[in-house]
Amino acid sequence: MTIADKQLQCREIITKAVCGKGRKFSTVTHTVTPPHHPTSILGAWIINHQYEAVRSGDGIEVIGTYDINIWYSYNKNSQTDVAKESVQFVENVPLSYVDPKHRVSTEEVSAEVLQEPNCIEANISSNGASVIVRVEREFAVEMIAETKVCVAVIPGGCDDLDDKDLDFSLGDDDGDYEDLDADLLDDEL
């Protein structure tokens, strides 16, 4: 039995769905000034990363903090110390897709870390008094909200369809997709 054999009706229903998505990779630079003039950098790492997501304008802001720890030598490499600095950040992640029919009053946003903040470079500044730290991080965000979707309704309900094969084709086209290159398909849809 084909759908065309029955009179098809459509209805709009309201459901919760992912109504917006975004992703952002960024590299930022911080300056840490230790109590002593560093001679060399022995290590640099990021710890205690915490964040939350809030809706803001056309995107989602990821607001958070992390601590930068710099292990360095000073006094002509005769002593070592660890400089610690807490950093606050706000990362605005634009939404690459937004459902125009979503209900704004029902928005819920979330963020996921794709790459934890990580120190990729630490150098002593040109004046020799501070350390320049480059940090990279990446976030993916989602906005979930109520939205309207259109569904097909078959008169008589599902009980009327027991033990019947349904054909959802829209015409003579078989929909032969065997010739498609799987490498070209977008997994992020």
Side-chain angles (χ1 to χ4, degrees):
M1 168 191 320
T2 66
I3 293 291
D5 294 338
K6 292 198 158 261
Q7 184 166 3
L8 195 62
Q9 297 176 359
C10 291
R11 287 204 186 121
E12 287 185 329
I13 63 170
I14 296 174
T15 186
K16 272 192 170 187
V18 176
C19 294
K21 282 187 165 200
R23 181 177 181 163
K24 185 173 183 183
F25 175 84
S26 61
T27 303
V28 294
T29 303
H30 301 290
T31 302
V32 178
T33 305
H36 309 49
H37 289 295
T39 304
S40 62
I41 306 300
L42 304 174
W45 59 97
I46 309 292
I47 61 172
N48 299 329
H49 179 223
Q50 297 177 339
Y51 63 94
E52 65 179 18
V54 296
R55 183 80 158 103
S56 175
D58 291 338
I60 294 174
E61 284 186 345
V62 180
I63 302 168
T65 61
Y66 49 78
D67 296 335
I68 300 174
N69 289 339
I70 308 288
W71 181 32
Y72 67 99
S73 68
Y74 63 97
N75 200 13
K76 297 183 183 179
N77 288 326
S78 65
Q79 296 178 310
T80 65
D81 198 0
V82 176
K84 301 174 185 178
E85 186 165 311
S86 292
V87 174
Q88 295 182 353
F89 68 91
V90 176
E91 188 77 65
N92 188 11
V93 182
L95 295 173
S96 57
Y97 163 76
V98 177
D99 180 354
K101 292 189 176 188
H102 81 278
R103 292 184 171 180
V104 176
S105 63
T106 64
E107 290 177 348
E108 300 171 19
V109 295
S110 65
E112 176 186 357
V113 175
L114 298 179
Q115 180 175 330
E116 288 284 344
N118 182 37
C119 178
I120 56 173
E121 186 178 21
N123 295 311
I124 299 172
S125 66
S126 59
N127 67 9
S130 58
V131 178
I132 309 297
V133 180
R134 279 191 27 203
V135 175
E136 62 183 12
R137 58 192 184 214
E138 185 173 15
F139 294 98
V141 296
E142 278 187 347
M143 176 182 63
I144 296 172
E146 289 180 0
T147 186
K148 287 183 181 180
V149 294
C150 184
V151 296
V153 178
I154 300 173
C158 295
D159 294 336
D160 193 31
L161 301 175
D162 287 342
D163 300 327
K164 295 187 177 119
D165 292 328
L166 294 178
D167 179 9
F168 289 97
S169 65
L170 298 175
D172 294 334
D173 184 13
D174 290 342
D176 187 11
Y177 299 109
E178 292 176 6
D179 295 336
L180 288 178
D181 184 358
D183 293 334
L184 297 177
L185 298 177
D186 188 3
D187 293 334
E188 293 294 322
L189 294 177

